Amino acid sequence: MFTDSQKHIALRFAESLSQRKYHMAYSMCSRLFQSRTSIETMKHDFEHIIPNDWGKVDPIEIVENDQFPFIYIVLGGEVYSEAIMISSFIMEDNEIKIHDYEFGRP
C-alpha cells in the first residue's frame, strides 16, 4: 500500500520530531497541510504525547501491517510507547510530502 520511499519519509519525520527538530518535520508536510496546521500546533500536539521529560525515544520503528490504512510508527519509551499514524502523502515539486497524520495510539 505504501512505498519504501514513503516509509523512509515517515521514519525521518518521526525521528525529526523525537529530536525536537520541529522545523525539519514541518518542512516534510505538504503546503496544504501547513496551511491548516502551524508549527506551534505540531509542537504542542507532539509534546502532548511525548513530553520533554520523556527521555530517549527508542525504538522508532514502523509496524508492518497491510491491513492498516496508514503507516504506523512506534515511538518507544522507558515506561510506555506512543505512535504516529501517517495516512496520506502527495508529490510537491518532485518530493514526497506528508499530507495527513495523527499523533497517539489508536
Side-chain angles (χ1 to χ4, degrees), residues 42-99:
M42 173 187 279
K43 177 181 186 281
H44 174 269
D45 292 349
F46 182 75
E47 291 179 359
H48 181 74
I49 65 162
I50 307 286
N52 286 322
D53 63 356
W54 178 274
K56 185 175 181 177
V57 179
D58 186 54
I60 300 173
E61 57 191 8
I62 292 176
V63 174
E64 298 280 347
N65 187 331
D66 291 335
Q67 302 299 316
F68 292 164
F70 46 78
I71 296 176
Y72 189 83
I73 305 164
V74 173
L75 306 170
E78 275 188 37
V79 178
Y80 64 96
S81 64
E82 275 296 348
I84 301 172
M85 294 168 286
I86 301 176
S87 56
S88 66
F89 297 85
I90 63 169
M91 290 294 291
E92 280 183 354
D93 304 323
N94 295 317
E95 289 185 79
I96 299 169
K97 296 287 186 170
I98 294 168
H99 196 55

Side-chain angles (χ1 to χ4, degrees), residues 5-22:
S5 296
Q6 291 169 327
K7 291 175 186 177
H8 177 75
I9 295 295
L11 278 175
R12 281 186 41 227
F13 180 72
E15 289 165 356
S16 296
L17 289 167
S18 72
Q19 296 166 7
R20 314 295 176 174
K21 296 179 179 177
Y22 298 109

